[in-house]
Amino acid sequence: MLKRHYSFQKLLSFLSAKGSFLFLFCFLISVYPSIGAEKGEGKTRILGPGVMRSIRPFVNYSDTYQWSAMPEIVGQSNTFDWARDLFYTREIWCLEFRFKPVRMINVDFPTEKGTMQRHEVWYLVYSVTNTGKCLKNEVEVPANNKVNVMVESSAGQFEAKSFEEKKNNLEGTYKPAEVDYNEAQKDSSGKTPGTVHFVPQFVLVSNTIQDRLKYRKDDNGYLRNLPAGKEEAIYFDQFLPMAFVKIAVREDAERKFQNSITFPTVDIKPGETYWGIATWVDIDRTADDKKMKSVDPRIDRFSIYISGLTNALRWEDTPSSYNPKAKFLEGRTIFRKVLKLNFYRPSDEFDENSEEIRFGQPGELDYQWIYL
């Protein structure tokens, strides 16, 4: 860096002697941004109030446990009653999610013929924050021939369920407990407790696509529209390097953005915040040529399902799971807790722009946590 600075001083003296001030000005404009970025001293863009929408972490007590059997054991014999009703519990974390409105950008992509073809890319700029707080079950009173655990009733209320004798794998009286890792120190292995990994997947699902209208002329001379029927589409987020760089420069050239491929490698420690970009185009994966197309411009209502923000999950077993010849986990369906964001675009397929997209849908919740 000293050598580079010394060369710059020599060039400055030379230009001053020659009076080439215009060249010097152009040189400063082109070089200094790259020097600042190389040092990491660039200042990120300050966003105004309300630009970023915030979804706070939401962990319910019911996320921390589940009653379930072990089909692999119960299916072998009816004598293994202890494996029919087991209490599974785990520590649950959830990231805080903040995002900017969904936007669009035109990007030129290379084709197989060596030419460039322009596509419109939909994208979402977001950030995730590890609050360092988790929720878990812990044993308050050890079992003395009697155990107590909270269960959810059919009415959605939680009540204590007692057993006169120690039941299956229960160890005592359980209660929910919040864990705060913000002040935790590194353990003997050098890892910070409460560190999580965000393995994201963003799925854009169109609730309704505007009808392409066809018209016919009645005998009275009036034109009558004939709806062609509604369609739906699903778009998975994809890492598009050419679009990613262009979006990053547009949004904030000084900020480091992650994508769905690099995010899983990041250790998000308590209190840390990382930014990312999710992008969508339409690629027909069933076709041989895998041609790229833009997101259908007729979409007027759509939702984005985001998985990976929490480690909460549930599962259900089907009767085939109890077949003695069934393979491990055969017949078991696992559901992950995902965040659903609803969006509304009251426009048509012509002259698309980002200002038409609004967060929330008429008559629907703006967002909700669901198991899928």
Side-chain angles (χ1 to χ4, degrees):
M1 197 65 194
L2 291 176
K3 179 184 288 187
R4 183 176 186 179
H5 182 67
Y6 176 73
S7 301
F8 176 76
Q9 292 293 337
K10 291 179 62 178
L11 180 61
L12 180 61
S13 301
F14 173 77
L15 293 176
S16 299
K18 296 296 182 180
S20 304
F21 295 104
L22 179 60
F23 180 82
L24 174 62
F25 175 78
C26 297
F27 178 82
L28 292 174
I29 292 298
S30 60
V31 173
Y32 260 88
S34 63
I35 294 177
E38 185 178 324
K39 288 183 177 181
E41 297 174 353
K43 295 182 179 180
T44 57
R45 182 177 301 172
I46 300 177
L47 302 177
V51 175
M52 296 283 288
R53 300 274 186 160
S54 180
I55 308 296
R56 295 182 177 180
F58 178 74
V59 178
N60 201 353
Y61 175 60
S62 59
D63 296 330
T64 64
Y65 75 91
Q66 179 172 346
W67 293 88
S68 179
M70 296 183 66
E72 300 82 6
I73 295 179
V74 176
Q76 299 297 326
S77 174
N78 294 328
T79 59
F80 299 119
D81 292 335
W82 59 269
R84 293 184 178 277
D85 200 11
L86 298 177
F87 183 72
Y88 294 88
T89 182
R90 63 189 305 207
E91 185 177 283
I92 303 298
W93 52 263
C94 185
L95 298 173
E96 180 181 1
F97 185 79
R98 302 175 70 237
F99 64 97
K100 295 179 67 174
V102 176
R103 304 187 68 184
M104 307 172 184
I105 190 171
N106 290 320
V107 182
D108 294 326
F109 294 94
T111 64
E112 296 178 352
K113 298 180 180 179
T115 59
M116 303 297 287
Q117 186 174 6
R118 177 161 296 183
H119 293 279
E120 191 167 58
V121 178
W122 291 32
Y123 70 91
L124 180 73
V125 175
Y126 64 92
S127 69
V128 291
T129 301
N130 183 1
T131 62
K133 296 183 179 180
C134 304
L135 190 65
K136 69 174 185 178
N137 264 300
E138 66 178 18
V139 178
E140 183 179 22
V141 179
N144 294 321
N145 298 327
K146 184 176 181 180
V147 295
N148 187 9
V149 67
M150 299 295 291
V151 296
E152 187 174 6
S153 64
S154 58
Q157 302 295 327
F158 289 94
E159 56 187 16
K161 183 178 181 180
S162 299
F163 301 93
E164 293 301 327
E165 58 184 18
K166 186 174 181 181
K167 182 177 177 61
N168 301 343
N169 64 329
L170 295 177
E171 299 177 356
T173 301
Y174 290 79
K175 69 172 184 178
E178 186 178 278
V179 183
D180 191 344
Y181 289 107
N182 286 289
E183 302 298 331
Q185 302 296 325
K186 292 184 178 180
D187 56 22
S188 57
S189 62
K191 297 182 179 180
T192 302
T195 299
V196 301
H197 291 88
F198 179 41
V199 185
Q201 184 178 47
F202 295 78
V203 183
L204 190 152
V205 180
S206 65
N207 306 106
T208 59
I209 295 180
Q210 286 190 349
D211 300 336
R212 291 187 181 274
L213 300 180
K214 297 181 180 179
Y215 295 90
R216 74 179 183 190
K217 191 172 184 180
D218 290 345
D219 296 337
N220 55 12
Y222 290 101
L223 293 176
R224 183 183 300 275
N225 64 304
L226 297 174
K230 295 185 177 180
E231 305 174 25
E232 295 191 2
I234 299 177
Y235 306 91
F236 294 90
D237 67 302
Q238 303 169 70
F239 175 51
L240 309 170
M242 301 186 68
F244 186 86
V245 174
K246 191 173 182 179
I247 294 170
V249 173
R250 178 187 189 182
E251 295 294 334
D252 193 342
E254 300 293 342
R255 189 182 299 278
K256 183 177 181 180
F257 292 98
Q258 305 290 338
N259 57 70
S260 298
I261 297 178
T262 61
F263 239 132
T265 64
V266 178
D267 294 331
I268 308 179
K269 299 179 176 62
E272 290 186 340
T273 298
Y274 287 86
W275 288 68
I277 299 174
T279 52
W280 296 274
V281 292
D282 185 13
I283 296 180
D284 187 0
R285 300 182 181 277
T286 61
D288 295 334
D289 52 6
K290 303 292 187 298
K291 288 184 177 180
M292 178 187 297
K293 298 182 294 182
S294 300
V295 176
D296 197 316
R298 298 172 296 163
I299 292 177
D300 56 358
R301 293 170 183 254
F302 64 94
S303 301
I304 298 178
Y305 295 85
I306 308 169
S307 62
L309 293 172
T310 175
N311 63 337
L313 56 85
R314 307 197 73 80
W315 62 87
E316 292 182 358
D317 293 321
T318 61
S320 61
S321 304
Y322 295 88
N323 187 341
K325 298 182 179 180
K327 298 180 180 179
F328 181 65
L329 297 181
E330 181 179 342
R332 171 169 290 184
T333 304
I334 298 177
F335 302 90
R336 295 180 296 175
K337 189 175 183 179
V338 302
L339 175 63
K340 177 185 178 183
L341 305 177
N342 291 324
F343 294 89
Y344 181 46
R345 179 177 170 265
S347 183
D348 52 29
E349 59 195 278
F350 305 103
D351 192 23
E352 298 178 81
N353 64 80
S354 302
E355 297 180 356
E356 300 170 342
I357 301 178
R358 306 170 185 175
F359 177 52
Q361 293 179 8
E364 299 289 342
L365 296 174
D366 291 348
Y367 71 92
Q368 60 186 136
W369 293 93
I370 58 178
Y371 278 95
L372 284 180

